[in-house]
Amino acid sequence: MKRTRESTRSPHSRLPAALALATTVTLACGTVASAAPQTSVPHPEEHGADKHTSALSDVIPAPTSVEPDRGAKFRIKWHTGIHAPRGNAEANRVARYLQQRLRPSTGYGLLINRGTPGRGDIVLSLDGSEQRLGEAGYRMNVDKKRLSIRATSSEGLFNGVQTLRQLLPAKAESDSPRHGPWKVPAGEIVDKPRFEHRSAMLDVARHFFEVDQVKRYIDQIAQYKINYLHLHLTDDQGWRIQIDGWPRLTSHGGSTEVGGGDGGYYTKREYAEIVDYAAENNVTIVPEIDMPGHTNAALSSYAELNCDGKAPPLYTGIEVGFSSLCVDKKVTYRFVDDVIRQVAAMTPGQYLHIGGDEAHSTTDEDYRKFMSEVLPMVEKHGKTPLGWHEYAQAEPSKSAMVQYWGTTRSNSEVAEAADRGNDILLSPANKAYVDQKYNPDTELGLDWAGPTAVRQAYDWNPGDFLESVPDSAIAGVEAPLFSETVTNSDEIEFMAFPRMPAIAELGWSSPEELDWSSFRRRLAGQAASWQEQGIDFYRSEQVPWPGN
């Protein structure tokens, strides 16, 4: 990767709470954090915010079923072990993940054992008893003697572990030893997701984010059972992925970003590092190569991709719709096939996103011609096409997924795609885009689809959002974060928190569990954990944060 700037912090460091809430700039509805420390901000323990969660149901996303027990709580102690099923590598990976998460704060060994579970152990079990909960569901039972998580797959165990993290005191997220007790409320949680596809998106094309910064965001989204990360790898402002045979894509096309910074790109090895790290956190990477528009970085890198054979200058603005690959040139399809083939080979996940949005410089006829060539390429290389909803006009095969980003509740092309059998991924920009301002005075963010307050991000039902598109056609939801105004991890966090957890709950929880009054209370309960992790979040006045 071409190094362009130092990260704002070490990717996995979790700042002390006194530093985590940095110098604040007061806004109309909250505060934005910057990098300088503010020692006057109290540690969450001073307000009692570090106490363990008061109930099993005080987690995000809201569980399917919760039955509390007023009996004695489970307590992690120095002798607590983590029991993992013998001979299952994936389940043992989840056990190691939990061990690594809790060792720094508790100071306990939390040894993994594969024999008979002991009293006071955390037990991870894989069996057939939870088939009705699917691959991602789990059952958690908590009593004085034992805490057990049962699932049919390691994915379900991982999701149960994320719930356990929220049930522990917030100081369990510390990266240094803290004093207990480490208690978990007693009872039972039975939980499964509403939608299989629960996604976040990070735009690394407008502004480039280094490997460690992407890993940090993966850590953060995984807590809320997000299982896909859509990486927007190419756009007018930058090309961020190495492609053999086309070196200028990165040496030239990746050399800048919005505002004229130095940009950057991922080598194939670095991209593999991101993919592997995501998999360890139960997250699948979905790469996006946007085309035929949003391609100025590529057009500037190779003159032959332009219809007139002339390479335009690099672009560092934020306007859209002016660029297009040359639809009638054979070299265009040789280029596209090379890119899709190599990106598909680097990406083990099912989907490859081909963009397709805002191709204003491509005629409708040329657009359909282009997609008729490109869509079969994606499938030839073993991937399922995914694209922004404009590409539905090209009538992709039934296996393809259509991502809706509009701001209205009706779209005839998306409705027709659903009728043809295409799955629909919802990310309406005025609800789900976490790059929009929270209110008119927010320092960061855009406002073409906003402002979007926290309640607005939460208060909608994906199942009945689009007219003429049934609940059965909805694959899930995504929280996109485009980076026109976002340059570092602090700013990613400010825009994503607390709205990303809102979208995560819409993707996981059943409609009956979606309740703003409950969510805002549970959201407030996350603040102490975010402080322990050094997450710079927006203190919306819609949420009763501790200490306010």
Side-chain angles (χ1 to χ4, degrees), residues 195-272:
F195 298 114
E196 187 279 331
H197 202 114
R198 307 174 306 279
S199 182
M201 191 214 79
L202 184 61
D203 172 19
V204 299
R206 269 50 175 269
H207 279 101
F208 178 67
F209 300 103
E210 298 180 1
V211 170
D212 287 342
Q213 293 172 301
V214 178
K215 286 182 177 181
R216 180 172 175 82
Y217 197 49
I218 289 169
D219 285 338
Q220 292 164 356
I221 65 176
Q223 295 180 73
Y224 297 99
K225 304 182 178 71
I226 295 289
N227 62 343
Y228 287 92
L229 177 61
H230 168 186
L231 283 181
H232 187 76
L233 290 167
T234 68
D235 213 297
D236 293 314
Q237 299 86 352
W239 186 283
R240 307 303 184 198
I241 183 69
Q242 177 186 2
I243 301 296
D244 294 341
W246 302 85
R248 280 181 57 81
L249 289 174
T250 48
S251 64
H252 177 73
S255 66
T256 191
E257 60 186 8
V258 166
D262 290 335
Y265 62 89
Y266 308 120
T267 66
K268 287 190 171 184
R269 178 176 294 181
E270 288 167 331
Y271 180 76

Side-chain angles (χ1 to χ4, degrees), residues 100 112 149 160 249 257 381 411 422 449 490 506:
Q100 291 164 6
I112 297 172
I149 301 173
L249 289 174
E257 60 186 8
H381 294 300
N411 183 284
N422 296 113
D490 288 333
L506 296 181

